[in-house]
Amino acid sequence: MTRSRLIAGRLATFLASLLAASVVIFCLVNLLPGDVATAILGDQADAESLAALRAQLGLDRPLVVRYLEWMGDMLTGNFGTSVGTGQSVVGMIAPKLGVTLWLVGLGMMLAIAVAVPVGMVAALRRRRWSGALMSALSQLGMAVPAFLAGILLVVLFAVELHWLPANGYTPLSSNPVEWARHLVLPVLSLALVQASVLTRYVRSAFIEVLGEDWFRTARSVGWTTRNAMVRHGLRNAALSVVTVLGLQLATLFVGAIVVESVFALPGLGRLLLGAVQQRELVLVQAIVMILVALVLVINALVDLSYMAIDPRLRSTEGEAR
């Protein structure tokens, strides 16, 4: 099977997943208990005002019709208008999305940068006290929620040492130094749990590599353990690690929502929480849909990266089909 056909197959899977996700998101948001019009106008609103608002929001039409209209608008780039502010939903989301992507991207890069070398060393020294200590610390890191890690970091580095700001955000274009200072603690909070999880998987992957025949052969012809691990072990362990990275993405975005609340970052997570509290259904649907689309896009890229890491998968899939 050619690479282009494989990519086309992955694209079809991505679009089908996106369509299924849109149905689930729309139904869940619109079937939530409670009346949106009453939530917006208050319990004292009269029946005529409530009916007028329901008609304005399109809530008096069948669910299927509303879904088709919503999908049609999204395909043209129209995510609707906020009832509370009157602003375009796209205009509200765009500036927040950048903050969340910086937080998630830097958090993931930091987690990978820590987890790969630590997991590799923990595998090599698994029978020594240092390897056991690394393994124990990674388990401890997995047990600490991102919000608790954030609070502890604020107490230590902001309240006690006064090294870093406890909350707020400065745009990169305004002041790069302050932008970095405001992101240090949120990124550390988010990366801590991810690095701990990844370390466990990297350690397990490299322990499997150490037991492979090719690895023993490389050692028998004079390669050092470190050279064999770096030159060939990384590639063999990469499949397991990349798989976990894809699975961890959804967790990372959920963690970003919590971390943004702890550090008062003006990201997509805080916008989503505010929209849920104010029952801004149009805004909630758009934000969740964008987050799901981002996760699906990255998972599709992870899926395609398998073939780049291990070319044997291309021929295997081709034979299977």
Side-chain angles (χ1 to χ4, degrees):
M1 178 173 285
T2 62
R3 179 175 298 185
S4 58
R5 291 187 64 185
L6 284 170
I7 294 174
R10 294 293 185 273
L11 181 61
T13 304
F14 164 75
L15 292 175
S17 302
L18 197 60
L19 181 63
S22 71
V23 174
V24 173
I25 290 168
F26 185 84
C27 291
L28 287 178
V29 171
N30 282 275
L31 294 178
L32 286 174
D35 182 60
V36 176
T38 304
I40 294 172
L41 296 178
D43 295 331
Q44 305 303 320
D46 57 70
E48 290 185 0
S49 300
L50 291 173
L53 183 56
R54 290 192 192 101
Q56 178 189 343
L57 299 175
L59 299 176
D60 56 345
R61 286 174 292 173
L63 194 65
V64 175
V65 174
R66 286 154 51 195
Y67 169 75
L68 292 176
E69 289 180 352
W70 178 60
M71 280 297 293
D73 289 341
M74 278 203 306
L75 291 175
T76 61
N78 177 16
F79 284 75
T81 303
S82 165
V83 177
T85 64
Q87 292 180 273
S88 161
V89 167
V90 174
M92 295 175 70
I93 290 176
K96 313 291 184 185
L97 182 60
V99 178
T100 300
L101 290 180
W102 274 121
L103 181 61
V104 172
L106 292 174
M108 181 56 82
M109 285 192 285
L110 179 61
I112 294 171
V114 172
V116 171
V118 172
M120 189 188 300
V121 173
L124 288 171
R125 300 183 178 180
R126 62 190 182 283
R127 295 189 180 90
R128 301 179 187 177
W129 69 267
S130 55
L133 178 62
M134 292 179 190
S135 182
L137 288 176
S138 66
Q139 288 184 338
L140 178 63
M142 290 168 62
V144 178
F147 77 90
L148 181 57
I151 292 171
L152 293 176
L153 289 171
V154 167
V155 171
L156 178 60
F157 292 103
V159 178
E160 297 296 332
L161 299 176
H162 302 286
W163 288 356
L164 295 165
N167 53 44
Y169 181 77
T170 301
L172 176 62
S173 56
S174 300
N175 189 329
V177 175
E178 284 302 311
W179 169 81
R181 291 184 74 243
H182 280 91
L183 278 181
V184 169
L185 294 183
V187 168
L188 281 176
S189 305
L190 198 59
L192 176 64
V193 177
Q194 301 304 320
S196 302
V197 174
L198 286 176
T199 298
R200 300 293 298 172
Y201 279 95
V202 171
R203 178 181 178 274
S204 299
F206 274 101
I207 287 176
E208 288 184 13
V209 167
L210 291 172
E212 295 286 345
D213 290 338
W214 64 264
F215 184 82
R216 286 194 287 269
T217 302
R219 292 284 291 122
S220 66
V221 297
W223 287 44
T224 64
T225 301
R226 178 174 298 178
N227 283 341
M229 290 281 276
V230 172
R231 296 185 64 176
H232 295 287
L234 276 174
R235 188 182 184 90
N236 284 273
L239 277 179
S240 302
V241 177
V242 168
T243 302
V244 178
L245 285 176
L247 295 174
Q248 286 295 108
L249 272 175
T251 308
L252 203 62
F253 276 107
V254 173
I257 293 173
V258 176
V259 169
E260 285 174 9
S261 298
V262 172
F263 290 95
L265 291 177
L268 216 52
R270 287 192 70 198
L271 185 64
L272 176 60
L273 292 178
V276 170
Q277 291 171 349
Q278 297 166 10
R279 296 191 66 84
E280 286 265 16
L281 296 188
V282 176
L283 192 53
V284 172
Q285 287 173 173
I287 295 173
V288 176
M289 196 66 207
I290 288 172
L291 292 177
V292 169
L294 283 173
V295 172
L296 289 175
V297 166
I298 298 174
N299 276 330
L301 294 176
V302 167
D303 206 15
L304 291 174
S305 71
Y306 291 158
M307 291 176 282
I309 295 171
D310 190 351
R312 293 172 301 177
L313 293 178
R314 291 198 289 268
S315 58
T316 302
E317 293 199 12
E319 290 169 3
R321 297 185 184 191

